Each structure stands twice: as C-alpha cells, then as structure tokens.
Amino acid sequence: MGASRSSLRNFVRGRFVEGISTFEKVSPVDGSVVAVVHEAGSGLVDAAVRAGREALEGSWGRTTVAERVRLLRRVADTVEARFDDLVRAEVADTGKPVRLARELDVTRAAMNFRSFADMVACTGPEAFVTEFGNGGRALNYTVPKPLGVVGVIVPWNLPLLLLTWKVAPALACGNAVVVKPSEETPSSAVVLAEVMAEAGVPDGVFNVVHGFGAGSAGEFLTTHPGVDAITFTGESRTGSTIMRAVADHVRPVSFELGGKNAAVVFADADLDRAVEGLSRSIFTNTGQVCLCTERVYVERPVFDEVVSRLREKAASLRMGSPYAAGTTTGPLISLGHRAKVVSFLERAVQEGADVVVGGGIPDLGPGLDGGAWIEPTLWTGLDNSSRVMREEVFGPVAGLVPFDSEPEAVSLANDTEYGLAAVVWTSDLERGHRVAQQMRVGMSWVNDWYLRDLRSPFGGTGLSGIGREGGRHSLDFYSEPTNVCVRLAGP
Ligand code: NAD
Ligand code: 6OD
C-alpha cells in the first residue's frame, strides 16, 4: 500500500507549510508507511487562526450570500474533478474498500458543498411585525452574521465526509475555518486544500493544521483565544475535554460524539430486509460508523432465525486489499484501535458471551499480516449489565438479546448513557412510528439504516453530543443573529 509515500504539509493562508516535526502515517492494511505528516506547533496554529481573522476582516467578510453560493458550487465541481485523488487519499489512510470510499465518502463530500449552497441560498432572515394595540407597530428582523474563525476537529472513520459536513455550512455562513483532521487520516484534507485553492476560495478562509490532540494541534486550537467556536466530531471523552478547554473563553460548541446504538427486530418484520439491514448497520466500514448497531434486541419467536441468518452474513464478508474485487470489509483504523477492540472481544467471553461467529484476529496471509484486521463478531448470552453492551466498541461487533414484549424492547434499547441512533424493524406501521418515537436518540430509523436527507437534524443526546447538524440546524450554529427592532408607527 505504501508504494507512493507522500509528504503532507499544513495549509495556512493559501500556502502549504512545514511543521515543527513530522510523524508517519501507517497503512492499516499492511503496516507500511503511506505518508510523512508535518505536525503544526502552537505558532503555526496561531498563524492559521490569524489568517482566518484577516480573511474575515478583508474581502471574505464582505462577500454576499450569492457569491458564497457560487463559490461552494465551484468547490463541489472541483471535488468531482479531483474525485479519484480524493478516493485514493481516503483509501490509503483508512484501508476501506474503494467502492465504499467512492459511493459514500467522496460522493457525500461533493454533495455536502452543493446541498449547503442550495440551503443557504433558500434561507432568509426571520422577520416579525409587532403590534401594540394602540396603533403602534415595530418591525423585528434578524441579520445573520458569521461566528468568525471556527475550529473544526474531526475523526478518522469518515474523514472527508465529516470534515466537509462542517466546512460547507461554515463557509456558506461566511466563516473562516481552521481544520484539524485526525492524525490517522491526514491525506484527504490536504487534497481538499488543493481543491479549495483551485476553486478560488480566498487565502486564509480554509486552513489545515495537522497533529494530535493533547499537547498538539488539537489542544492548541481549542485553547486559542482567537477561535470563536469549535465544531467537533469524535469520542465522548474527547468532547468533555474540549468542553473544559473552551470554557474559559465561553465559546459555542457543536458536538457529535459516540454511540451504543440499538436495533429492535419484531417478529412481524420482513426478515430478509431486516437481516440485510442489520448486516449493513453492524459491519459497514468495519463497524466504524458512529451510527453502527452494537446492540440487537430480537423478539423471541424469531431470535434463533435472526442469529443464524446474521451469522451467515458475517461469515460471507470478505476482508482483503481495498482494491481487490470482492472485498467487502477493510481493517480497523490502526493496531492501537485493534488492541482496544480485542480487549472487548476478550472481555465479552469473560462476561459469559457465546461467540456466534468471529471473535479474533484473522490470518489473511503474508501480505496483510502487518494490518489491523479483525473478524466480524456476533455474541449471544450477554445482557445490558455487561460492559461490552454498555461501552462503545467501534468495531464490527454486536450482541444479540431476546425480548418478549414491546415495552421491554423499548426499555432495553433506551438503557444506555448514549443517545445517537436506533433502528426498528417491523411490518406494523403503527408500531414502527410508536417505537421509533420512544427511542431516546437523535435519529430513529424504521426499516432502514443510514438513509439520509441532508436537511434533517443529525446528532444525539446524552453522551452522544450537543446540538444538531444538517439543514437549518447547521446554518443556525454557524451564524450569530443580530435582531434589529425598528419602531414603525404609533405612540
Ligand atoms: P477522538 O475523539 O479520539 O479524535 C477525534 C479528533 O479529536 C482527532 O482529530 C483528534 O486528534 C482530536 N483530539 C483528540 N484529543 C483532543 C484534545 N484533547 N483536544 C483537541 N482535539 C483532540 O475520536 P476518533 O477515535 O478519531 O473517532 C472515533 C469516535 O468518533 C467514536 O467515538 C465515534 O463514535 C465518534 N464519531 C461520532 C460521530 C457522530 O456524528 N456522532 C461521527 C463519527 C465518529
Ligand atoms: O451522514 C452524515 O452526515 C454524518 N454526519 C455521518 C456520521 C457518521 C458517523 O460516523
């Protein structure tokens, strides 16, 4: 995988610049070095924040909505023109199957820019005429303004999708951004910086700083007094660290955090569709999607059948080179993350799980033995008291548990500190609505999973986050409204 090792620099004020040190980005497919990355020190993070501020004080701060809409559409076109480069970058860093990178990650990157261009173009300010009853009237209207310089911190699982999901609305609202990609996935942000320059985004509006969290670019960004807001996607624990870091300056935060998502399968479900859907929701991206299902509650009459059919699905997945025809499943992101997932595999057995399928590290032969491979794994025999059923694993794993009534299923699904997503499988329309609405989550699907409309709210409750992204929710977060009240008439 590492045949074409690249050197990845930071992007500040429209220029690629070196860092204070370098680190190696290793392929999770085979352990080879895919890139040498320039880590930004506090001085460079400061320069990036100042570049953003100067862009806001210059011509970028005077752009009209229509000009920004045209620019975002050009960015979308340029993402499509550089589609293959972005796919290569994403696959090199994550090892995900090339088909997934094409159909999900890079396609959505273009769509994010185009969708937020459309959405901001169609959004107007609020206005109210206030009547006092004595003939007096006033006009209230809001003027949305950018927040300023926004720090964008993103994880490694869907690197470009999640980065552009934040950058597109932030730019649509007229902000400047300083992006800190994950140290595990620095490559696509660098190609995106080239895209921004090619599309004509003014210098200083889009900046990229590479590095780690604590004591590195992530912490320098979140503690910088010149950063006006932080938008973060990542682990719940990192979210609480960032919350403390921004508290001194009282900055707004948007948090998309972890999940321990449940699926509920009723006996009346179309089991062909349910098993297909469960297989996607458990194993897509090797279980490394925040929305992935890790807890499956199945009504007792169909429990054995669902377990057996899901076992067949898991056994049919094909791990291998991301470019090999037929590969369905990539590695985990790193050996470090695999060690964490393996510790959950061991703990599951200690906690009394029966391993239905998987449960270990596969032997994929000499070319791949340096990679972070893991077997897709299903357990039965666990309940909600086990740590494996309470903590986010973020791997291709799920525990299956039988239930006997609808209230029991709702109560089991809601028995978690997280609150991101849920799926209900049933042929009963009323039950589908009823149960989906009772799920204590930000997103509840019925008879599907990860079906997206970019205008609808995305996010979670509890340990899963603060706020919502998508549509007007993103536009609201990335702008600061000033209300103007004008007396029109009367005493
Ligand atoms: P992570 O929290 O370890 O890292 C995310 C980003 O934060 C990285 O860029 C990292 O360098 C940076 N970071 C780490 N410590 C920091 C600190 N102290 N200050 C500033 N920045 C810091 O998360 P990860 O391992 O990259 O991603 C996996 C996690 O992300 C999972 O928990 C997953 O559920 C979650 N996630 C959530 C969503 C969502 O939409 N809710 C989407 C994707 C991933
Ligand atoms: O599809 C999206 O917009 C989105 N934010 C997905 C997040 C997936 C989590 O890993």
Side-chain angles (χ1 to χ4, degrees), residues 153-157 162 180-183 211-214 218-219 222 232-236 238-239 241-242 256-259 289-290 392 394 420 458 464 469:
I153 302 183
V154 281
W156 43 256
N157 60 328
L162 293 172
K180 214 281 300 156
S182 168
E183 55 274 30
F212 305 84
E219 183 180 331
T222 54
F232 169 73
T233 296
E235 272 195 38
S236 305
T238 314
T241 304
I242 292 178
E256 300 292 354
L257 308 176
V289 178
C290 58
E392 183 187 47
F394 219 52
L420 192 59
F458 187 104
S464 294
E469 298 186 300

Side-chain angles (χ1 to χ4, degrees), residues 208-476:
V208 178
V209 291
H210 294 295
F212 305 84
S216 182
E219 183 180 331
F220 303 147
L221 192 57
T222 54
T223 52
H224 195 295
V227 171
D228 298 293
I230 292 285
T231 175
F232 169 73
T233 296
E235 272 195 38
S236 305
R237 219 176 350 205
T238 314
S240 73
T241 304
I242 292 178
M243 225 169 157
R244 280 191 290 275
V246 301
D248 281 347
H249 302 291
V250 194
R251 297 298 191 240
V253 290
S254 163
F255 281 170
E256 300 292 354
L257 308 176
K260 187 72 186 176
N261 310 305
V264 176
V265 186
F266 287 97
D268 63 20
D270 173 337
L271 288 193
D272 289 341
R273 284 176 60 193
V275 170
E276 183 63 41
L278 285 169
S279 174
R280 276 199 312 123
S281 75
I282 298 168
F283 300 122
T284 294
N285 206 37
T286 317
Q288 301 167 117
V289 178
C290 58
L291 307 165
C292 275
T293 303
E294 293 192 2
R295 298 180 292 138
V296 186
Y297 302 104
V298 187
E299 203 165 4
R300 202 173 297 275
V302 294
F303 183 75
D304 289 343
E305 183 177 354
V306 169
V307 171
S308 150
R309 290 172 68 172
L310 254 186
R311 179 206 295 123
E312 282 169 33
K313 285 278 180 199
S316 73
L317 297 171
R318 288 286 158 263
M319 290 174 264
S321 158
Y323 289 100
T327 296
T328 58
T329 306
L332 294 168
I333 189 65
S334 64
L335 292 176
H337 184 50
R338 184 175 70 176
K340 177 187 152 190
V341 174
V342 166
S343 75
F344 277 105
L345 300 184
E346 290 165 357
R347 178 171 287 276
V349 174
Q350 288 158 14
E351 289 182 326
D354 293 317
V355 180
V356 176
V357 65
I361 293 174
D363 180 1
L364 299 180
L368 302 178
D369 55 9
W373 300 93
I374 196 81
E375 288 174 339
T377 297
L378 298 170
W379 303 292
T380 55
L382 295 173
D383 62 29
N384 279 6
S385 66
S386 105
R387 261 184 72 186
V388 171
M389 293 293 276
R390 303 207 72 80
E391 297 177 17
E392 183 187 47
V393 179
F394 219 52
V397 302
L400 292 102
V401 178
F403 69 84
D404 295 301
S405 71
E406 185 181 306
E408 184 193 3
V410 170
S411 149
L412 287 169
N414 284 340
D415 178 20
T416 171
E417 284 186 88
Y418 291 96
L420 192 59
V423 190
V424 183
W425 294 97
T426 178
S427 297
D428 178 337
L429 189 62
E430 281 185 30
R431 170 183 268 163
H433 284 281
R434 187 170 62 236
V435 174
Q437 289 178 29
Q438 289 177 77
M439 293 290 144
R440 204 167 29 75
V441 293
M443 293 158 289
S444 205
W445 278 282
V446 180
N447 294 333
D448 213 320
W449 174 76
Y450 202 2
L451 183 63
R452 294 282 286 116
D453 182 322
L454 304 190
R455 297 167 297 184
S456 49
F458 187 104
T461 66
L463 281 185
S464 294
I466 297 179
R468 295 291 184 274
E469 298 186 300
R472 69 175 173 79
H473 303 275
S474 294
L475 300 181
D476 283 349

